[in-house]
């Protein structure tokens, strides 16, 4: 199956830079279920949790997305 993934370390750093430490901790805690061994998290999973507003646009600008990752 192919899907788009985001760099988890960059995502957590973004939330920390916005003083959203609880949100950063939440996504860091997802590492067992939604993150690959190379540190990528499902893009749609992130989008479902933050919505499609300004924060999502900021995340897309600040976090690397890898298109078409196989798993």
């Amino acid at each position: 199956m192919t899907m788009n993934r985001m760099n988890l370390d960059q995502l957590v750093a973004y939330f920390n830079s916005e003083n959203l430490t609880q949100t950063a901790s939440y996504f860091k805690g997802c590492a067992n279920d939604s993150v690959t061994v190379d540190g990528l998290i499902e893009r749609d999973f992130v989008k479902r949790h933050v919505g499609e507003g300004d924060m999502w646009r900021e995340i897309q600008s600040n976090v690397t997305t890898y298109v078409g990752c196989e798993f």
Side-chain angles (χ1 to χ4, degrees):
M1 181 177 207
T2 302
M3 60 182 28
N4 298 335
R5 297 184 177 272
M6 301 184 104
N7 183 294
L8 179 62
D9 289 336
Q10 290 177 2
L11 183 66
V12 168
Y14 167 76
F15 287 126
N16 283 329
S17 73
E18 296 293 317
N19 293 320
L20 298 169
T21 54
Q22 287 182 326
T23 305
S25 294
Y26 169 75
F27 280 101
K28 230 175 151 177
C30 294
N32 294 334
D33 299 326
S34 301
V35 178
T36 63
V37 293
D38 52 356
L40 302 178
I41 189 167
E42 295 175 20
R43 183 180 181 271
D44 289 340
F45 178 80
V46 176
K47 187 177 181 180
R48 281 194 306 273
H49 284 80
V50 300
E52 295 187 29
D54 292 338
M55 182 180 289
W56 177 242
R57 286 187 284 284
E58 283 292 317
I59 289 170
Q60 290 181 96
S61 296
N62 290 288
V63 179
T64 303
T65 297
Y66 300 91
V67 178
C69 296
E70 297 287 333
F71 77 103

